[in-house]
């Protein structure tokens, strides 16, 4: 500051007013011209959206599917397994492909309004009859009306949106990387499965380049990888090399580093928007990283999307992490997206050596470090444990559904496989084996246990297996299982205990389906003992206790929390 004042003092007479005038002119130029700077990008405060969030789509050849979610307060307990609304009416209007049922041939198209109903798996997701399906190029109008509780106030809200189904994309062929750095072009003629040789480290970071054919109706593409437990995963990757010395291979060669969730069947590979930079068009080539490819037969589903989904990715999702982006949604009066899509399925086969995903699932679930207390401690692992221990065939068509493995259904049937003597004898399976013996009401509860285990191990297996059996059977006694004590702990006691916590997890793993009578009691006890704040759960608890006012111990008076 002193130097600046001395500079002014040394200026010749008459220069200072000129200097000041020059500064004023310069500032005026800055203000008058469109000069960009950090002052333009200061985050502006905006209201946080607190309504109902929408995520829905209509795919060509499929019926519409739309999910809604209440935006919860920070201190409010999420209750996605129960309807957040008092009443709802969801419709989709447009021209649909129609498949007639029965002998009368009425296949064709119908311009109509479909009423969507809450799905069996999730009452907050709505679906229509599979007889009606989306048509490429058609526009569809969604309208959803809800009466619901918004932050303690009764609200009536209507949401509307439009979606147009674009044309599907086509995979013309692949440029497959080779060990010498070159690429081999393989045309996709649709008649034979394309084989890809997996490139091991140090070449595993190369990309398989999918040459795409599309038109201007496509505004973006979502890429979804499909795989299952019949696939394998290479261990000769850059990621495994980076952690060499920190991880050890087991007897099957698994290092403990997995790129695919072994208990899932789908993995989102990302979204590519239809953008152009010079002569480069982003959708001309879609990339599959070699390292991410599962070994064996797999497929990628390419979902061509309309402009609404493009805005959702660029302006809604990105606004969560960047406050400079203003969220723009096609949901009138709401937030989220309702999009039109077309699906293209591309099958291929990856040749290489690796570890089976089934082995990865077992190893990931079984934590062999420390006290082993966290083994099988996740929803997927808890449902998978009985299945893995039973030795049953998880690929039997009876237990599969489109889009994933029904672990809940597999778990409920796993004990039947013990009749075929395929069960696994491992310490991780002792409790599952005891539970299976009790489910089958065998001659003795230890029939599926090894003969040479210690009395302590046998006692632990019995206690854990009995708890699992009693909860799964709704505390039904038989000649080798007495569930009286378990019933008192889980269903009668007003104190939190290990039996209650196991029951809560058991019900949560099954989406709190109230068809299981034991889960009604569990919901009541969890609501009170965990002091959950949720108008949705409170309504469910009141409904349960009104129905079982005289027969359910959990509905007796609870102490005043104050």
């Amino acid at each position: 500051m002193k130097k600046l004042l001395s500079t002014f003092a040394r200026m010749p007479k008459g220069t200072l007013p000129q200097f000041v005038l020059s500064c004023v002119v310069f500032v005026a130029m800055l203000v008058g011209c469109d000069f960009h700077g950090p002052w333009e990008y200061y985050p502006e405060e905006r209201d946080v959206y607190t309504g109902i969030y929408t995520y829905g789509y209509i795919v060509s050849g499929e019926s519409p599917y739309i999910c809604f979610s209440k935006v919860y307060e920070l201190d409010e307990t999420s209750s996605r397994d129960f309807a957040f609304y008092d009443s709802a009416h969801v419709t989709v209007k447009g021209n649909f492909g129609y498949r007639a049922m029965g002998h009368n041939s009425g296949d064709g198209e119908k311009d109509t309004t479909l009423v969507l109903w809450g799905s069996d798996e999730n009452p907050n997701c709505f679906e229509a009859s599979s007889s009606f399906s989306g048509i490429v190029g058609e526009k569809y109008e969604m309208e959803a009306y809800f009466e619901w509780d918004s932050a303690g106030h009764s609200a009536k809200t209507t949401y509307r949106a439009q979606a147009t189904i674009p044309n599907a994309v086509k995979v013309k062929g692949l440029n497959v990387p080779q060990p010498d750095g070159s690429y081999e072009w393989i045309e996709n003629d649709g008649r034979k499965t394309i084989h890809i040789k997996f490139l091991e480290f140090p070449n595993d970071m190369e990309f398989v380049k999918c040459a795409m054919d599309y038109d201007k109706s496509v505004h973006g593409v979502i890429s979804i990888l499909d795989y299952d437990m019949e696939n394998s995963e290479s261990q000769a990757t850059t990621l495994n090399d980076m952690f060499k010395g920190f991880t050890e291979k087991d007897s099957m060669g698994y290092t403990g580093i997995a790129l695919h969730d072994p208990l899932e069947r789908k993995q989102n590979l990302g979204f590519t928007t239809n953008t152009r930079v010079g002569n480069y068009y982003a959708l001309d080539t879609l990339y599959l990283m070699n390292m991410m490819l599962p070994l064996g037969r797999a497929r990628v589903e390419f979902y061509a999307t309309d402009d609404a989904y493009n805005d959702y990715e660029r302006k809604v999702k990105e606004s969560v992490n960047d406050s400079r982006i203003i969220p723009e949604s096609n949901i009138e009066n709401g937030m989220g997206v309702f999009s039109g899509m077309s699906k293209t399925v591309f099958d291929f086969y990856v040749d290489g050596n690796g570890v089976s995903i089934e082995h990865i699932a077992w190893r990931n679930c079984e934590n062999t470090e420390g006290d082993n207390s966290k083994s099988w401690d996740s929803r997927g692992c808890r449902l998978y444990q009985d299945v893995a221990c039973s030795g049953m065939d998880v690929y039997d068509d009876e237990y599969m559904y489109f889009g994933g493995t029904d672990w809940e259904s597999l778990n409920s049937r796993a004990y039947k496989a013990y009749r075929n003597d395929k069960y696994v004898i491992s310490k991780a399976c002792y409790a599952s084996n005891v539970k299976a013996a009790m489910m089958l009401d065998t001659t003795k509860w230890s029939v599926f246990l090894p003969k040479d285990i210690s009395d302590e191990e046998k006692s632990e297996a019995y206690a854990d297996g009995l708890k699992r059996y009693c909860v799964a059977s709704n505390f039904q006694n038989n000649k080798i299982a007495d569930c009286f004590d378990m019933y008192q702990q889980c269903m009668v006691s007003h104190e939190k205990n290990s039996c209650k916590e196991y029951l809560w997890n058991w019900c949560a793993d099954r989406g709190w389906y109230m068809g299981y009578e034991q889960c009604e009691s569990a919901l009541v006890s969890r609501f009170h003992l965990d002091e959950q704040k949720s108008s949705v759960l409170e309504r469910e608890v009141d409904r349960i206790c009104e129905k079982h006012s005289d027969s359910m111990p959990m509905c007796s008076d609870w102490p005043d929390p104050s």
Side-chain angles (χ1 to χ4, degrees), residues 196-213:
I196 300 171
K197 175 66 176 177
F198 187 89
L199 295 184
E200 297 184 343
F201 175 80
N203 301 314
D204 61 302
M205 296 290 284
E206 296 292 336
F207 287 89
V208 176
K209 302 176 182 179
C210 304
M212 309 301 292
D213 188 14

Side-chain angles (χ1 to χ4, degrees), residues 176-192:
V176 181
Q178 303 299 304
D180 61 1
S182 64
Y183 281 84
E184 178 188 358
W185 169 256
I186 304 177
E187 185 177 356
N188 177 31
D189 58 12
R191 294 193 298 268
K192 59 183 180 180

Side-chain angles (χ1 to χ4, degrees), residues 354-500:
V355 178
S356 73
I357 288 183
E358 186 172 8
H359 176 74
I360 292 173
W362 178 280
R363 280 296 312 277
N364 285 6
C365 288
E366 185 179 26
N367 177 18
T368 57
E369 299 177 358
D371 61 359
N372 209 38
S373 62
K374 294 185 178 179
S375 285
W376 306 91
D377 191 20
S378 68
R379 178 185 183 272
C381 291
R382 286 191 294 263
L383 291 173
Y384 176 60
Q385 187 172 18
D386 286 354
V387 178
C389 293
S390 71
M392 69 187 301
D393 182 7
V394 299
Y395 306 109
D396 191 310
D397 290 340
E398 182 182 355
Y399 310 122
M400 303 292 286
Y401 72 98
F402 180 78
T405 305
D406 188 353
W407 293 115
E408 182 183 336
S409 177
L410 284 163
N411 178 279
S412 67
R413 296 171 168 84
Y415 72 94
K416 296 179 181 179
Y418 283 77
R419 294 192 179 111
N420 300 324
D421 295 328
K422 291 182 179 179
Y423 57 92
V424 178
I425 296 181
S426 164
K427 187 173 182 179
C429 291
Y430 288 173
S432 291
N433 294 356
V434 170
K435 173 189 172 184
M438 292 177 173
M439 295 291 290
L440 293 170
D441 198 9
T442 55
T443 54
K444 53 183 180 179
W445 57 264
S446 59
V447 67
F448 300 125
L449 294 178
K451 307 298 182 185
D452 56 348
I453 65 173
S454 66
D455 291 340
E456 182 181 0
E457 288 176 319
K458 188 175 290 188
S459 177
E460 290 176 355
Y462 171 77
D464 196 358
L466 177 65
K467 177 176 62 181
R468 297 181 186 205
Y469 162 76
C470 291
V471 167
S473 68
N474 195 19
F475 306 94
Q476 181 178 344
N477 295 328
N478 59 29
K479 64 176 181 285
I480 61 170
D482 185 349
C483 293
F484 177 79
D485 289 341
M486 290 288 103
Y487 180 83
Q488 295 299 314
Q489 293 179 46
C490 275
M491 307 289 280
V492 177
S493 173
H494 277 41
E495 301 291 332
K496 183 182 287 190
N497 54 56
S498 61
C499 186
K500 271 191 180 356

Side-chain angles (χ1 to χ4, degrees), residues 238-404:
T238 299
L239 196 61
N240 278 288
D241 186 73
M242 289 172 57
F243 288 94
K244 186 182 297 182
F246 295 95
T247 60
E248 295 183 4
K249 295 182 179 181
D250 63 14
S251 60
M252 300 295 291
Y254 179 51
T255 64
I257 300 173
L259 296 173
H260 308 91
D261 186 335
L263 298 177
E264 294 291 341
R265 290 189 64 207
K266 291 183 180 292
Q267 184 172 1
N268 193 329
L269 300 180
F271 174 75
T272 305
T273 185
N274 187 4
T275 55
R276 174 186 175 182
V277 178
N279 291 325
Y280 170 76
Y281 293 83
L283 285 186
D284 283 356
T285 306
L286 296 181
Y287 298 87
L288 304 176
M289 181 181 284
N290 173 90
M291 185 174 67
M292 294 298 298
L293 297 178
L295 306 179
R297 189 173 301 279
R299 65 168 47 179
V300 174
E301 298 173 355
F302 295 111
Y303 288 87
T305 67
D306 62 3
D307 196 36
Y309 191 87
N310 200 18
D311 286 342
Y312 170 72
E313 286 280 349
R314 294 186 300 109
K315 300 178 182 178
V316 177
K317 290 177 66 175
E318 290 187 15
S319 70
V320 176
N321 300 317
D322 191 340
S323 58
R324 295 171 299 176
I325 298 175
I326 305 299
E328 293 182 21
S329 167
N330 73 326
I331 308 296
E332 180 184 328
N333 194 36
M335 189 57 65
V337 66
F338 174 60
S339 173
M341 301 182 184
S342 286
K343 181 171 71 173
T344 299
V345 177
F346 176 63
D347 292 286
F348 57 94
Y349 194 99
V350 184
D351 298 302
N353 299 315
V355 178
S356 73
I357 288 183
E358 186 172 8
H359 176 74
I360 292 173
W362 178 280
R363 280 296 312 277
N364 285 6
C365 288
E366 185 179 26
N367 177 18
T368 57
E369 299 177 358
D371 61 359
N372 209 38
S373 62
K374 294 185 178 179
S375 285
W376 306 91
D377 191 20
S378 68
R379 178 185 183 272
C381 291
R382 286 191 294 263
L383 291 173
Y384 176 60
Q385 187 172 18
D386 286 354
V387 178
C389 293
S390 71
M392 69 187 301
D393 182 7
V394 299
Y395 306 109
D396 191 310
D397 290 340
E398 182 182 355
Y399 310 122
M400 303 292 286
Y401 72 98
F402 180 78

